[in-house]
Amino acid sequence: MELEMAADELKSVLNRLRRAQGQIAGIIRMIEEGRDCEDVITQLAAVSRALDRAGFAIIATGLQHCMAEGGQAAGDRDRMRARLEKLFLSLA
């Protein structure tokens, strides 16, 4: 399944990923500075959610494209559904 996203969808996902990248750099600094464990874990949870949202946005776009291609054979639809389900579960 190829990643095909509209420019606005792509921009949104990239912004989420860049924000997560910045958060990860902040977490590394926090650990290096010996910051409180609770603060570090709070930030890790925030990064995890940001990455999950980016992943779900990418998968949702894939679903949208699959649904738009409604003329697929039943076997193709079943295989695509199984692949998308596997992707969703990988984020769970």
Side-chain angles (χ1 to χ4, degrees), residues 9-79:
E9 294 167 332
L10 183 61
K11 183 178 178 182
S12 174
V13 169
L14 288 174
N15 285 340
R16 286 181 194 273
L17 292 173
R18 286 188 182 103
R19 195 173 317 122
Q21 184 179 32
Q23 287 175 302
I24 290 170
I27 292 167
I28 292 169
R29 274 191 310 279
M30 291 172 73
I31 292 170
E32 290 172 342
E33 295 168 359
R35 296 276 300 272
D36 181 65
C37 179
E38 189 174 337
D39 293 340
V40 171
I41 291 173
T42 298
Q43 289 305 309
L44 282 171
V47 160
S48 180
R49 285 190 303 274
L51 291 174
D52 286 347
R53 286 188 194 111
F56 285 130
I58 291 169
I59 293 170
T61 299
L63 277 172
Q64 213 172 16
H65 287 279
C66 291
M67 292 172 71
E69 298 171 4
Q72 294 179 340
D76 291 340
R77 281 194 307 266
D78 290 343
R79 279 191 295 282

